């Protein structure tokens, strides 16, 4: 009886230690062989990087030349008014025809402005955003002063898209990655709306849009 139990204990210890070794033994070790890939499907295939040579084609180029007469469609961003806020190099004074001045546009502009612009320019646009409590190095413009009120919509669009340099330093970063073209126009419209909240009469007199 005693003998049997000892055998049992020996067996359990043996199996236990082998399992432990198996589970922990190879962790973190490096192997030059690829991992086991049970169902390869078509996960790994030969392919060429752009500009890479290839012996498959007679001209040894991996990239195929465009078919003669190919014309780019839709990606040219040729609509300067919409994409650059300019026409013939001059800042536009109106919204592009793709953008309709609606309540929804202003609501979207407000939401985006409050996320991306308010930290510096403040929710009211007075240039007293929360960053100014922490750093004197950043002096966001007061969007209600005469100069900023006189900026045409195209100029505000351009500022959002390209930011502004002060000498070699970035005074205001570009928001082109955060704001799509449409969103930039929505913010432009909202900035104009913010400005109108403080100077409604003056704006009406000037017939400002
Ligand atoms: C990191 C802080 C910061 C953020 C965020 C920021 N700005 Fe600015 N902005 C500045 C500073 C600083 C200036 C002053 C630059 C100067 O004139 O030297 C400025 C200037 C401006 C001006 C006036 C520029 C001129 O030439 O008169 C406008 C308009 C403006 N910002 C709009 C925006 C809008 C719209 C957004 C949101 C998309 C935005 N800013 C986000 C810091 C910021």
């Amino acid at each position: 009886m005693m003998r049997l139990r000892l055998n049992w204990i020996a067996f359990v210890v043996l199996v236990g230690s082998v399992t432990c070794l198996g589970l922990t033994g190879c962790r973190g070790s490096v192997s030059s062989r690829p991992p086991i890939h049970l169902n390869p499907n078509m996960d790994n295939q030969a392919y060429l990087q752009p500009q890479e040579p290839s012996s498959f084609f007679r001209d040894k180029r991996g990239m195929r030349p465009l078919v003669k007469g190919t014309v780019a469609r839709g990606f040219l961003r040729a609509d300067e008014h919409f994409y650059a806020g300019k026409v013939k190099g001059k800042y536009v004074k109106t919204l592009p025809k793709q953008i309709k001045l609606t309540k929804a546009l202003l609501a979207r502009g407000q939401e985006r402005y409050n996320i991306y612009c308010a930290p510096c320019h403040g929710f009211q646009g007075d240039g007293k955003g929360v960053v100014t409590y922490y750093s004197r190095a950043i002096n966001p413009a007061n969007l209600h002063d005469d100069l900023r009120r006189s900026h045409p919509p195209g100029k505000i669009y351009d500022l959002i898209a390209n930011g502004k340099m002060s000498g070699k330093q970035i005074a205001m970063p570009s928001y082109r990655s955060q704001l799509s073209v449409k969103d930039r126009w929505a913010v432009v419209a909202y900035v104009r709306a913010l400005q109108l909240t403080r100077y409604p009469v003056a704006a009406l007199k000037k017939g400002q849009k």
Side-chain angles (χ1 to χ4, degrees):
M1 192 64 194
M2 192 61 196
R3 236 202 145 120
L4 199 83
R5 185 165 292 163
L6 263 183
N7 277 349
W8 254 109
I9 291 174
F11 178 71
V12 168
V13 168
L14 191 73
V15 169
S17 38
V18 167
T19 314
C20 280
L21 272 180
L23 287 177
T24 59
C26 303
R27 301 201 65 178
S29 57
V30 180
S31 164
S32 59
R33 279 182 292 167
I36 299 161
H37 198 145
L38 288 181
N39 181 5
N41 284 330
M42 289 174 74
D43 291 351
N44 300 304
Q45 295 178 64
Y47 68 96
L48 291 168
Q49 301 281 2
Q51 312 285 0
E52 209 179 328
S54 157
S55 54
F56 183 78
F57 298 105
R58 198 176 291 170
D59 63 5
K60 303 271 184 271
R61 291 197 287 181
M63 271 165 81
R64 299 290 74 216
L66 297 176
V67 175
K68 250 192 187 156
T70 304
V71 179
R73 286 172 61 183
F75 304 106
L76 285 178
R77 302 200 151 209
D79 186 344
E80 255 198 311
H81 191 144
F82 184 51
Y83 289 107
K86 291 179 192 170
V87 169
K88 296 198 180 110
K90 283 204 168 162
Y91 292 124
V92 293
K93 295 200 169 118
T94 54
L95 291 175
K97 60 180 185 303
Q98 294 89 331
I99 304 291
K100 295 276 168 284
L101 185 56
T102 58
K103 228 175 161 179
L105 183 84
L106 288 176
R108 175 76 182 168
Q110 179 177 38
E111 189 209 21
R112 297 291 107 181
Y113 175 93
N114 288 348
I115 294 170
Y116 294 114
C117 318
C120 287
H121 291 283
F123 288 104
Q124 300 177 28
D126 51 12
K128 297 189 183 126
V130 69
V131 297
T132 58
Y133 304 167
Y134 296 98
S135 166
R136 286 196 185 175
I138 305 175
N139 292 306
N142 171 7
L143 302 180
H144 296 292
D145 65 15
D146 283 347
L147 173 67
R148 275 65 193 227
R149 278 191 304 130
S150 70
H151 286 338
K155 171 146 183 150
I156 301 176
Y157 175 91
D158 181 65
L159 273 161
I160 299 172
N162 299 312
K164 188 176 175 186
M165 298 297 287
S166 157
K168 281 192 175 167
Q169 288 216 312
I170 296 176
M172 179 179 141
S174 149
Y175 281 85
R176 66 166 64 226
S177 340
Q178 292 89 336
L179 296 168
S180 69
V181 173
K182 277 189 179 162
D183 279 348
R184 290 172 215 164
W185 283 112
V187 171
V188 169
Y190 182 67
V191 167
R192 200 42 111 226
L194 267 183
Q195 292 171 333
L196 286 178
T197 58
R198 296 210 177 175
Y199 295 91
V201 180
L204 280 180
K205 269 191 199 150
K206 270 206 246 158
Q208 199 177 4
K209 283 201 182 138

